[in-house]
Amino acid sequence: MKGRPLILVSLLVLALFAAACTSLPKASEPAPFDVSAHTTNPVELSADGPARNSDPMTLVSDFLLACAAGANDDFATARLFLSSDSSQRWHPEQQVLIYDTASRPTLTLSSPAGENTAEVSISAVPVASLDASGVLSRAESSQISQALSLVKESGQWRISAPQDSFIVSKASFLASYERVNLYFPAHSGDALIADPRWLPSRRLASHLIEGLVEGPSNAVADAVSNAIPAGTTVPSAPVEVTDRIAKVHVEGPVPPEGTARDLLVWQITSTLEQSPSITQVEILVSDVELKDAAPLKDPSYLLDTRLGMLSGAIGTLNATKLMSLPLSTPPAEGARHPSMSPVDRGLFAWREGEELVVERIEEDATQVRVSVGGGGAPSIDRFGWTWSAKGGGLAAVSSQGEVLEISGFDPSPLFSRVAVSPDGARALLIGADHSDKSLMIATIVRDRQGKPTSLSSLSVIEGIVSMVEDASWAGTDAFVVLRRKQNEDGTGSVELAEVQLGGFLTASSAPEGAEEISAGSGPGNVCTRTHTGTLHCRSGALWQDMPSGLVDIRYPG
């Protein structure tokens, strides 16, 4: 992430004002939205404390505004709305409940205000929630509901014993939190795997170090290790930034020189350099500076190479010209779904009927054929394994012909398609129920040589639970999905959903009749194929028709 130009910050501030004004808590007499946004980078929100002699509804309304600014003042203002005993016991960072900015919360006096007690209920349209470690989950329920008890202290209404959470609009959340990646080494030690989190923009670098020390989330834990030794602790201010140089202080075992130290420095440096205010990192463990670590880097991915197929030929595309590959045997008539390794220009695969064909075209050229039945496009991971659905299950095939049956779930769900992320850590899986296809994601468990052994942490992706046509990775931490959509007039259409891991979903229209999709390094590089065989590739916001002679266009992976 790089620093944002001042003009973009100014536009964001204006957008926040406009969005926030449409999301006021609804009281008996709505108060103006008085959370102000300062023109600094990052954008900060602020709010006023409780007004004297506020009634219960007004107090709760103003409390919600103070919560919106909580990430910028450690909830100091919001605590002023609480009773004296609740103020110290409230831990709002345990859960963030995010509501749709286009709506606004409804407040109801659910228990008539007595002389010293009252209760106000809050309901809102949910978008997502955030847990204490910064992991975001898109909303599955239809409503956020909370009840706040109020008591009088010194003649003033105050909130008593609130839940350890706070409610905020999506616009205010995006102004105060950033989606960032905690990076952890793959078990093979040759790549960093992204573990996405949403962390407060204020003191971002310190939050990043705290997250690394805490370790990976459950969703990716089986695919990574933590180069930071167990027992490491974080002081109150673990990162000092001066002249864009971050000095990191942690307490714990000092890693020895060699691989352990190299991985730790790589992990911390790559994570912190996402901050626009940091260009260099110095690391001290128990006051020992870690110097002379060997520079490590991720694999060189080939994600934006377009692979095309004509009748009897597969090759890379230069504009619309196919540069044919020297395959030992040309693809048979009716062959489909060409695939290429995301890191190796010599490893390819395709489908011929119910057979999966894997070919290496280097000097030690080999071709392997495995019967897998139907199962959509194959997916080649960076370790050289070609994945395919097989009989409702999953198979991974090496270029030497070794076939692995991949499992890990009991009872095992049925799959019709698998797509492996470029870093090899995750798999997108489409269910085999043709009437109601769902999209799932799982972690790939591998040995230290990269050989897959099983899947773990299978979960249905929130917000995309049915009517999925196809899915593809778009880089290492984002993916795109084609799904059928029922319009209000009863007609159907196909929608393109773009999803960042651990982030929000955005949707746009896809070419009519699209049923297959493949993406490169990001959602801007996408090609689709319709049920009639027409190919379209996106350039910016526009879809371009591709030459009619091409059977398929796909990106590596």
Side-chain angles (χ1 to χ4, degrees):
M1 268 180 274
K2 301 299 181 184
R4 301 171 217 170
L6 181 59
I7 186 170
L8 292 180
V9 174
S10 302
L11 290 172
L12 174 59
V13 171
L14 294 174
L16 286 169
F17 272 121
C21 289
T22 67
S23 56
L24 291 177
K26 184 184 290 183
S28 53
E29 292 184 5
F33 187 73
D34 58 355
V35 173
S36 58
H38 301 294
T39 54
T40 57
N41 188 12
V43 173
E44 293 187 359
L45 303 178
S46 62
D48 294 329
R52 186 169 178 79
N53 297 325
S54 292
D55 60 54
M57 296 281 279
T58 301
L59 186 88
V60 171
S61 175
D62 291 345
F63 172 67
L64 293 181
L65 295 176
C67 286
N72 297 302
D73 68 358
D74 293 328
F75 294 91
T77 302
R79 292 181 192 278
L80 299 176
F81 291 80
L82 307 185
S83 63
S84 55
D85 60 337
S86 298
S87 176
Q88 300 305 313
R89 297 201 302 264
W90 185 46
H91 297 285
E93 70 282 352
Q94 292 300 306
Q95 187 181 40
V96 186
L97 302 174
I98 306 164
Y99 68 84
D100 186 357
T101 306
S103 65
R104 56 185 183 179
T106 299
L107 306 187
T108 305
L109 192 62
S110 51
S111 177
E115 184 174 343
N116 294 304
T117 62
E119 184 176 277
V120 175
S121 296
I122 307 170
S123 62
V125 178
V127 173
S129 63
L130 193 74
D131 70 15
S133 63
V135 175
L136 183 138
S137 300
R138 286 181 291 278
E140 293 183 314
S141 61
S142 59
Q143 187 168 289
I144 296 172
S145 296
Q146 273 195 8
L148 296 178
S149 298
L150 282 75
V151 298
K152 273 194 173 180
E153 284 190 349
S154 302
Q156 302 296 314
W157 287 109
R158 292 295 181 263
I159 297 167
S160 176
Q163 297 180 24
D164 285 336
S165 64
F166 70 99
I167 300 172
V168 66
S169 71
K170 182 179 177 182
S172 294
F173 174 77
L174 293 176
S176 300
Y177 286 75
E178 292 188 38
R179 181 196 172 279
V180 289
N181 289 321
L182 302 181
Y183 286 110
F184 296 95
H187 289 312
S188 54
D190 60 347
L192 292 176
I193 308 301
D195 190 358
R197 309 292 179 94
W198 287 88
L199 300 175
S201 301
R202 184 168 176 256
R203 298 199 304 269
L204 176 61
S206 293
H207 290 303
L208 288 168
I209 292 299
E210 291 165 358
L212 287 177
V213 170
E214 184 179 325
S217 64
N218 292 335
V220 76
D222 288 338
V224 301
S225 57
N226 195 349
I228 298 175
T232 299
T233 60
V234 180
S236 58
V239 183
E240 303 169 5
V241 180
T242 305
D243 295 331
R244 303 173 72 84
I245 300 174
K247 182 170 287 189
V248 180
H249 299 264
V250 294
E251 297 293 329
V254 179
E257 293 185 8
T259 301
R261 181 174 295 193
D262 298 342
L263 287 174
L264 184 148
V265 171
W266 187 28
Q267 174 181 359
I268 292 178
T269 300
S270 297
T271 299
L272 285 184
E273 286 184 348
Q274 295 173 95
S275 171
S277 63
I278 296 173
T279 57
Q280 185 178 332
V281 178
E282 298 175 357
I283 302 169
L284 288 87
V285 178
S286 298
D287 295 325
V288 176
E289 186 172 358
L290 305 186
K291 294 183 177 180
D292 303 322
L296 301 175
K297 62 180 181 179
D298 279 310
S300 296
Y301 294 112
L302 309 169
L303 302 183
D304 290 326
T305 301
R306 282 185 183 177
L307 194 65
M309 174 178 273
L310 294 169
S311 179
I314 297 174
T316 57
L317 283 173
N318 183 2
T320 59
K321 183 179 180 180
L322 189 78
M323 311 298 289
S324 296
L325 298 171
L327 301 175
S328 60
T329 304
E333 186 71 25
R336 288 285 321 280
H337 300 133
S339 183
M340 172 181 162
S341 163
V343 296
D344 184 350
R345 296 184 184 275
L347 183 59
F348 300 87
W350 62 93
R351 297 181 67 89
E352 294 184 1
E354 296 192 348
E355 277 194 327
L356 174 65
V357 183
V358 180
E359 177 157 339
R360 180 169 290 284
I361 62 172
E362 297 169 346
E363 291 182 2
D364 54 345
T366 58
Q367 187 179 94
V368 173
R369 292 176 177 265
V370 177
S371 179
V372 294
S379 180
I380 306 179
D381 68 28
R382 69 182 182 92
F383 297 100
W385 292 91
T386 300
W387 294 65
S388 175
K390 181 183 179 184
L394 298 174
V397 181
S398 75
S399 59
Q400 289 75 40
E402 182 179 3
V403 180
L404 304 177
E405 302 288 338
I406 306 297
S407 61
F409 310 109
D410 187 22
S412 181
L414 299 179
F415 306 118
S416 64
R417 166 94 164 89
V418 57
V420 178
S421 60
D423 58 21
R426 299 174 173 94
L428 292 174
L429 301 155
I430 299 177
D433 184 349
H434 291 284
S435 63
D436 189 26
K437 288 185 179 180
S438 58
L439 182 64
M440 294 159 275
I441 190 168
T443 299
I444 301 175
V445 184
R446 301 177 185 268
D447 64 20
R448 293 191 178 277
Q449 285 69 50
K451 184 177 182 177
T453 59
S454 63
L455 299 181
S456 69
S457 303
L458 178 72
S459 62
V460 175
I461 296 174
E462 300 104 331
I464 310 178
V465 295
S466 63
M467 303 179 72
V468 173
E469 292 284 353
D470 198 10
S472 171
W473 288 94
T476 58
D477 64 350
F479 56 91
V480 292
V481 184
L482 282 178
R483 59 180 180 177
R484 299 191 306 278
K485 179 183 177 182
Q486 194 71 23
N487 300 319
E488 293 182 358
D489 60 3
T491 61
S493 60
V494 181
E495 183 177 69
L496 173 64
E498 302 172 14
V499 188
Q500 278 193 315
L501 281 178
F504 295 100
L505 180 153
T506 59
S508 59
S509 61
E512 184 177 353
E515 61 180 14
E516 295 178 5
I517 191 167
S518 183
S521 61
N525 291 342
V526 176
C527 293
T528 65
R529 189 180 193 271
T530 69
H531 63 277
T532 61
T534 303
L535 299 172
H536 304 272
C537 291
R538 187 160 73 177
S539 177
L542 302 177
W543 291 95
Q544 297 180 339
D545 295 341
M546 302 306 289
S548 58
L550 289 167
V551 176
D552 266 316
I553 299 177
R554 301 193 66 83
Y555 289 93

